[in-house]
Amino acid sequence: MTGREWGLGLFLAAAFMLSTWASPPQIWAGYDAGPITLTGNVSAQQLFRVSGDAERWQYIQQRNTLRLQLTTKLVEKGRLWHLETEVPWIDNVTTFFYWRSVYDSIYDSKIGGKLRDQSGKPAGSLANVRVSPFNDEHVLREAYADVDFGGPLDGLSMRLGKQQIVWGEADFFRSLDTINPLDVTWHLFFETGLSASSGWDELRIPQWMLKLRYDFGNIGPIGGVFLEGFYNPFDFRQTRFGFLPNRPWSLPLANPFRSGQLLDLGALRFAPAPPGAVFAEPRFQLIKGSNFKKGDFNKDDVDRVSQFGFRLGGKIPIANYTTLSLNTIYYYRRTYADVPQTGFIKAFPERATITPGTPPPPGLPAGAAFIGRVTLPVEAFFPYVNIWGLSGNFLEPYTDTSFRFETSYTKDLPRADVGKRRLISKGDMWSGVLGFDRLTWIRLLNPSTTFFITGQLFSNVWVTDFNKNLRGIPFLPTPSRDPTRPAALTATDHLRHQEFLLTLAIATFYRGGTVNPSVAVFHDLKQPSNAFFFSVDWFYTNNVIITPQLRIFTTWGHGKAVDDPWLGGGRNAGRSEVGFKVTYQF
Amino acid sequence: MSTSRQVSYGFLLAVLVTGTSIPPASAQDARERILAEFHPYARGIEVSGIKPSMKITKENAEVAKEALPPEILKSLQAGDFEITVQETVDFPVHPAYINATTEGYGKAKIAGWKLAGYEAGRPFPLLDPNDPEVGKKVAFNFRYRDRWTAFWQKGWFEVLNPSGTADRRYEFYYVRGVGMHLPKELTSYDWSAKGIHSKELFWFTAPFDVKDQQFVQYHPDDDIAEQTRYLYQRAFKRIRQVPYQAHENALNSDWIDEERQGQEGYFRDYDWKYLGETIVLAPFPVQDVLSKFGYKGKCYPDHTWQLRKAVVVEATPTVGDAPLRRRYYLDLQTYTYLYEVDYDKKTGEHIKTSFGVWGDPRVQPDEITKNSQHPILLGQSWIDYRKNPYSCSLYGDVEQTADHKLDETMWDETAMPDRSK
């Protein structure tokens, strides 16, 4: 089925669903036929970019999404399909399937104007983007079976299949919530899901895994002790990212590995030239069979991609009726091209070849030398790392506030290093978060329902081998307003020894839960990088939700984007968005 | 215009007149008096003019004047709902609960906001209106009423607009376990080591925007201790411990969170005043399998009503964020919450009426539930009269069971992600 056919089908389905607006609200929650339940929604989201010189009210997304979730109870209370057949040692078996179909008409309509990247440089136009494969996606996102064992195996449960596993205490932060990679082509990290049905669960890429859990009950003074482990034998998936102009709401960059650019060789610390003196036109050649989706391995080779982890948890009494829920966590997995600061390009300059006689591209700085086209072999590099973690939460009764924390230590995490010939080095990174959740009365704004306020302070520190040559994205185009002039690649995206990010989010309910606004603020403590998100879920009926959205990215008058490591307000300055989503749920 | 205090004066007088004074009693005397409390209909019950099978409408509402709180009578007189009267059903609670009451009589002492020396049964079966702590004792009787050790329900919650259609409708599983102060033969769980009286699970199943959101709540036996609530957010696929706010309107509906089943928040937030015993008309125990609501705005229970002996207690807030002064009408035989009339704590204005809908287990289809002998939670309505026209929120049921042994992981917060799909 082609994307156009899918799109037509979705349009007809949406038209049918929306035709029910004219009738009284239907109280019908999905299709429930005894052991089989089918639920889901269909939504249409429009996104407009509202700032930037050439981009005011640029139409960048018209995404139509169908979500279908099917749940079946195969075994219930030890009996198969409600029959008299008893299943030994098994109490319950439930299967779950989640299908997501997406059609974005923006690629077919060709409305989009010129796009600009984080430095203000032209980055193509949606009108010129090849329609397929960007306009549609049809994927079985999750498919798994849950098994609760009984009899002699009582206390043991299992989830087997394509799934997401989320451990840790942080929202929007990749410290311990890293079992699944992220799909930042969905909408970077901007689907926060504070009051909505979906958020980061739409960003994580589900993987085929086995998860086992055993509940020990109480052991001495520690309550609810459990041991949980996962094993991913063959389903390695890498962070999915997209560049301008193909994905105008993903990374604010054109592909930094595209051809036709100028590389400032002085950006490499070991190069015998100062910055701005010697240029080459790079051509990056991925070797060893690696690409942005995998390293030098077959991504479904059990011997090369197996990953696992476990956690041990329980509740420790710390005061009268106050308990600390504590989890110790360990992962052994390959790295993801992740936020913040994981490097994944290993260069082989000794194998570089120069094609002399290449005419210099226009825009070469006056007096600079040009040595021609350089073919540079590079390898996408995703090594195994060991990660140790600790997370916990407790309710502090005097402030009536729930506090939470998580911390992780990653051994030998790769990062871009322009001081090394391989352009990569390894170091140990500590990361952590302190957060709080509180229900707070602001009666002036809402006399009957509290505001849910949640705040977090994130930090990460390079514990070992920090140096000034570390980079986030190793090479970025220098700013240029001249569309005919190729950008020069420089290494300006410095990593800091320590990074800090503050987040604050607030949500509440009005009008009987039919108007639910939420606000989120992201503030980088190390540089002028700020993001403000506003959205309202307005339930026109119980089934129809209208969601206006506004996302503002700013550097507080800094004048240009800054290379913040969180891909937040710094890199997205000048790329604020207005959104409007209509959802029909069933 | 008269205030609600003035309007209710006559009714309160009736309440106080029928209040009983308990003289000191011998052990045998006390036992007999306690048994009489659990069997209050041995000699029948009567209010002049109210007969079984009669229908009470706005035309003949005066006949119910002595058997309804004035605020509910006013709605009846306005034609907002009607009452069909049935014979009073004797509903003795479980014999084990009665035995525990008689055996434990005199042992329970109030110690702050918990009881010392209390094991099971009704802690204060014989009340003395002159006792300065009698209001608090009623509150403890209410709290430790005869309940199931485990209750499972497939339910729904609606926020209605004045036309009686739902602006929001949620469907969920509600599961409750009680692990302290039940008679041994009725107990499936023992949470006394942790001091947890009961645990609740709310698991939303529809609509899709809330599907698989869950929360687990722990109720400590000591009311001074904070209730613990764990929330599972599907959008994050993560559990978070959130503070419990008993006094907020849940989901901005007409239901203040603590009003579940009468009072599930903090008894400590109120000063409890005993107003006496009276005879009321109430839709209890409901002789239908499921709850039904109807009449104006679809806000009122649509079941037969019967004459019941009731204990009346008033709870006046002692903390700032508790907005309402509450008058509870509790069934004398079971201490089940029949209905409650709420007033603005400052102005005294009648603001809200809430009806409990509790079923007779003997009409339930499930065999274990049928024999459980505890009142079965079917639903509840909350009517906010501040709005004009007024509207309400409803809690109803699709199916339920009581006293089935349920797996304790049902209330384990760390099990919520695996339950979520």
Side-chain angles (χ1 to χ4, degrees), chain B residues 334-368:
Chain B
T334 61
Y335 266 79
T336 302
Y337 147 84
L338 301 173
Y339 38 70
E340 137 189 14
V341 182
D342 300 328
Y343 312 90
D344 184 290
K345 68 178 177 183
K346 289 177 183 166
T347 66
E349 176 196 7
H350 172 227
I351 284 179
K352 194 154 94 172
T353 298
S354 172
F355 293 94
V357 182
W358 294 82
D360 189 328
R362 293 166 289 194
V363 304
Q364 291 289 319
D366 173 70
E367 279 302 315
I368 296 176

Coordinates of all heavy atoms in Angstrom, one line a residue, chain B residues 334-368:
Chain B
T334 N -25.4 -0.5 60.3 CA -24.2 -0.9 59.6 C -23.1 0.2 59.7 O -22.0 -0.1 59.3 CB -24.5 -1.2 58.1 OG1 -25.0 0.0 57.5 CG2 -25.5 -2.3 58.0
Y335 N -23.5 1.4 60.1 CA -22.6 2.6 60.0 C -22.2 2.9 58.5 O -21.2 3.5 58.3 CB -21.4 2.5 60.9 CG -21.7 3.1 62.2 CD1 -22.4 2.5 63.2 CD2 -21.3 4.4 62.5 CE1 -22.7 3.1 64.4 CE2 -21.6 5.1 63.7 CZ -22.3 4.4 64.7 OH -22.6 5.0 65.8
T336 N -23.0 2.4 57.6 CA -22.8 2.8 56.2 C -23.3 4.2 56.0 O -24.3 4.7 56.6 CB -23.6 1.9 55.3 OG1 -23.2 0.5 55.6 CG2 -23.4 2.2 53.8
Y337 N -22.5 4.9 55.1 CA -22.8 6.3 54.8 C -24.1 6.3 53.9 O -24.0 5.7 52.8 CB -21.6 6.8 54.2 CG -21.7 7.9 53.2 CD1 -21.8 9.2 53.5 CD2 -21.6 7.6 51.8 CE1 -21.9 10.2 52.5 CE2 -21.7 8.5 50.8 CZ -21.9 9.8 51.2 OH -22.0 10.8 50.3
L338 N -25.1 7.0 54.3 CA -26.3 7.0 53.5 C -26.3 8.3 52.6 O -26.5 8.2 51.4 CB -27.6 7.1 54.4 CG -27.8 6.0 55.4 CD1 -28.9 6.3 56.4 CD2 -28.0 4.7 54.7
Y339 N -26.1 9.4 53.2 CA -25.9 10.6 52.5 C -25.3 11.7 53.3 O -25.2 11.5 54.6 CB -27.2 11.2 51.8 CG -28.5 11.0 52.6 CD1 -28.7 11.8 53.7 CD2 -29.5 10.2 52.2 CE1 -29.9 11.7 54.4 CE2 -30.7 10.1 52.9 CZ -30.9 10.8 54.0 OH -32.1 10.7 54.7
E340 N -25.0 12.8 52.7 CA -24.3 13.8 53.5 C -24.7 15.2 52.9 O -24.9 15.3 51.7 CB -22.8 13.6 53.3 CG -21.9 14.7 53.0 CD -20.5 14.3 52.7 OE1 -20.2 13.2 52.4 OE2 -19.6 15.2 52.7
V341 N -24.9 16.1 53.8 CA -25.3 17.5 53.4 C -24.2 18.4 53.8 O -23.7 18.4 54.9 CB -26.6 17.9 54.0 CG1 -27.0 19.3 53.6 CG2 -27.7 16.9 53.7
D342 N -23.7 19.2 52.8 CA -22.5 20.0 53.1 C -22.8 21.5 53.0 O -23.6 21.9 52.2 CB -21.4 19.6 52.1 CG -21.0 18.2 52.1 OD1 -21.0 17.6 53.2 OD2 -20.6 17.6 51.1
Y343 N -22.1 22.2 53.9 CA -22.3 23.7 53.9 C -21.0 24.4 53.8 O -20.0 23.9 54.2 CB -23.0 24.0 55.3 CG -24.1 23.2 55.7 CD1 -24.0 22.0 56.4 CD2 -25.4 23.5 55.3 CE1 -25.0 21.2 56.7 CE2 -26.5 22.7 55.6 CZ -26.3 21.5 56.4 OH -27.4 20.7 56.7
D344 N -21.1 25.6 53.3 CA -19.9 26.4 53.3 C -19.5 26.7 54.8 O -20.3 27.0 55.6 CB -20.2 27.8 52.6 CG -19.0 28.7 52.5 OD1 -18.5 29.2 53.6 OD2 -18.5 28.8 51.4
K345 N -18.2 26.4 55.0 CA -17.8 26.5 56.4 C -17.9 27.9 57.0 O -17.9 28.0 58.2 CB -16.4 25.9 56.6 CG -15.3 26.7 56.0 CD -14.0 26.0 56.3 CE -12.8 26.8 55.6 NZ -11.5 26.2 55.8
K346 N -17.9 28.9 56.2 CA -18.0 30.3 56.7 C -19.4 30.8 56.7 O -19.9 31.3 57.7 CB -17.1 31.2 55.9 CG -15.6 30.9 56.1 CD -14.7 31.8 55.2 CE -13.3 31.5 55.4 NZ -12.4 32.0 54.3
T347 N -20.1 30.7 55.6 CA -21.4 31.3 55.5 C -22.5 30.4 56.0 O -23.6 30.8 56.2 CB -21.7 31.7 54.0 OG1 -21.8 30.5 53.3 CG2 -20.6 32.6 53.5
G348 N -22.3 29.1 56.0 CA -23.3 28.1 56.4 C -24.3 27.8 55.3 O -25.2 27.0 55.5
E349 N -24.0 28.3 54.1 CA -24.9 28.1 53.0 C -24.8 26.6 52.5 O -23.7 26.1 52.5 CB -24.5 29.0 51.8 CG -25.2 28.8 50.5 CD -24.5 29.5 49.3 OE1 -23.4 30.0 49.5 OE2 -25.1 29.5 48.3
H350 N -26.0 26.1 52.2 CA -26.0 24.7 51.7 C -25.3 24.7 50.3 O -25.8 25.4 49.4 CB -27.4 24.1 51.6 CG -27.5 22.8 50.9 ND1 -28.4 22.6 50.0 CD2 -26.8 21.7 51.1 CE1 -28.3 21.3 49.5 NE2 -27.3 20.8 50.2
I351 N -24.4 23.8 50.2 CA -23.6 23.8 48.9 C -23.8 22.5 48.2 O -24.0 22.5 47.0 CB -22.1 24.1 49.2 CG1 -21.9 25.5 49.5 CG2 -21.2 23.6 48.1 CD1 -20.5 25.9 49.9
K352 N -23.8 21.5 48.9 CA -23.7 20.2 48.2 C -24.4 19.1 48.9 O -24.5 19.1 50.2 CB -22.2 19.8 48.1 CG -21.9 18.7 47.1 CD -20.5 18.8 46.6 CE -19.5 18.0 47.4 NZ -18.2 18.0 46.7
T353 N -25.0 18.2 48.2 CA -25.5 16.9 48.8 C -24.9 15.8 48.1 O -24.8 15.8 46.8 CB -27.1 16.9 48.7 OG1 -27.6 18.0 49.4 CG2 -27.6 15.6 49.3
S354 N -24.6 14.8 48.8 CA -24.0 13.6 48.2 C -24.7 12.4 48.7 O -25.0 12.2 49.9 CB -22.5 13.5 48.6 OG -22.0 12.2 48.2
F355 N -25.1 11.5 47.8 CA -25.8 10.3 48.1 C -24.9 9.1 47.9 O -24.3 8.9 46.9 CB -27.0 10.1 47.2 CG -28.1 11.1 47.4 CD1 -28.2 12.2 46.6 CD2 -29.1 10.9 48.4 CE1 -29.2 13.2 46.8 CE2 -30.1 11.8 48.6 CZ -30.1 13.0 47.8
G356 N -24.8 8.2 48.9 CA -24.2 6.9 48.8 C -25.2 5.9 48.2 O -26.3 5.9 48.6
V357 N -24.7 5.0 47.4 CA -25.5 4.0 46.9 C -24.9 2.6 47.2 O -23.9 2.3 46.6 CB -25.8 4.1 45.3 CG1 -26.7 3.0 44.9 CG2 -26.3 5.4 45.0
W358 N -25.4 2.0 48.3 CA -24.8 0.8 48.8 C -25.8 -0.4 48.6 O -27.0 -0.2 48.9 CB -24.5 0.9 50.3 CG -23.4 1.9 50.5 CD1 -23.5 3.3 50.6 CD2 -22.0 1.7 50.7 NE1 -22.3 3.9 50.8 CE2 -21.3 2.9 50.8 CE3 -21.2 0.5 50.7 CZ2 -20.0 3.0 51.0 CZ3 -19.8 0.6 50.9 CH2 -19.2 1.9 51.0
G359 N -25.3 -1.4 48.1 CA -26.2 -2.5 47.7 C -26.3 -3.6 48.8 O -25.4 -3.7 49.7
D360 N -27.4 -4.3 48.7 CA -27.6 -5.5 49.6 C -26.8 -6.7 49.0 O -27.1 -7.0 47.8 CB -29.1 -5.8 49.7 CG -29.4 -6.9 50.7 OD1 -28.5 -7.7 50.9 OD2 -30.4 -6.8 51.4
P361 N -25.9 -7.3 49.6 CA -25.1 -8.3 49.0 C -25.9 -9.5 48.6 O -25.6 -10.3 47.6 CB -24.0 -8.7 50.0 CG -24.6 -8.3 51.3 CD -25.4 -7.1 51.0
R362 N -27.1 -9.7 49.2 CA -27.9 -10.9 48.9 C -28.5 -10.9 47.6 O -29.0 -11.9 47.1 CB -29.0 -11.0 50.0 CG -28.4 -11.3 51.4 CD -29.4 -11.1 52.5 NE -29.6 -9.7 52.8 CZ -30.2 -9.2 53.8 NH1 -30.6 -10.1 54.8 NH2 -30.5 -7.9 54.0
V363 N -28.5 -9.7 46.9 CA -29.0 -9.7 45.5 C -27.9 -9.7 44.5 O -28.2 -9.8 43.3 CB -29.9 -8.4 45.3 CG1 -31.0 -8.3 46.3 CG2 -29.0 -7.1 45.3
Q364 N -26.7 -9.8 44.9 CA -25.6 -9.8 43.9 C -25.5 -11.2 43.3 O -25.7 -12.2 44.0 CB -24.2 -9.5 44.6 CG -24.2 -8.0 45.0 CD -24.0 -7.0 43.8 OE1 -23.3 -7.3 42.9 NE2 -24.8 -5.9 43.8
P365 N -25.1 -11.3 42.1 CA -25.0 -12.6 41.4 C -23.9 -13.5 41.9 O -24.0 -14.7 41.9 CB -24.9 -12.3 39.9 CG -24.3 -10.9 39.9 CD -24.8 -10.2 41.1
D366 N -22.8 -12.9 42.3 CA -21.6 -13.7 42.6 C -21.8 -14.4 44.0 O -22.3 -13.7 45.0 CB -20.4 -12.8 42.7 CG -19.2 -13.5 43.2 OD1 -18.6 -14.3 42.5 OD2 -18.7 -13.2 44.4
E367 N -21.5 -15.6 44.1 CA -21.9 -16.4 45.3 C -21.1 -15.9 46.5 O -21.7 -15.8 47.6 CB -21.6 -17.9 45.0 CG -22.6 -18.6 44.3 CD -24.0 -18.6 44.9 OE1 -24.1 -18.7 46.1 OE2 -25.0 -18.3 44.2
I368 N -19.8 -15.7 46.4 CA -19.1 -15.2 47.5 C -19.6 -13.9 48.0 O -19.7 -13.6 49.2 CB -17.6 -15.2 47.2 CG1 -17.1 -16.6 46.9 CG2 -16.8 -14.6 48.3 CD1 -15.6 -16.7 46.5

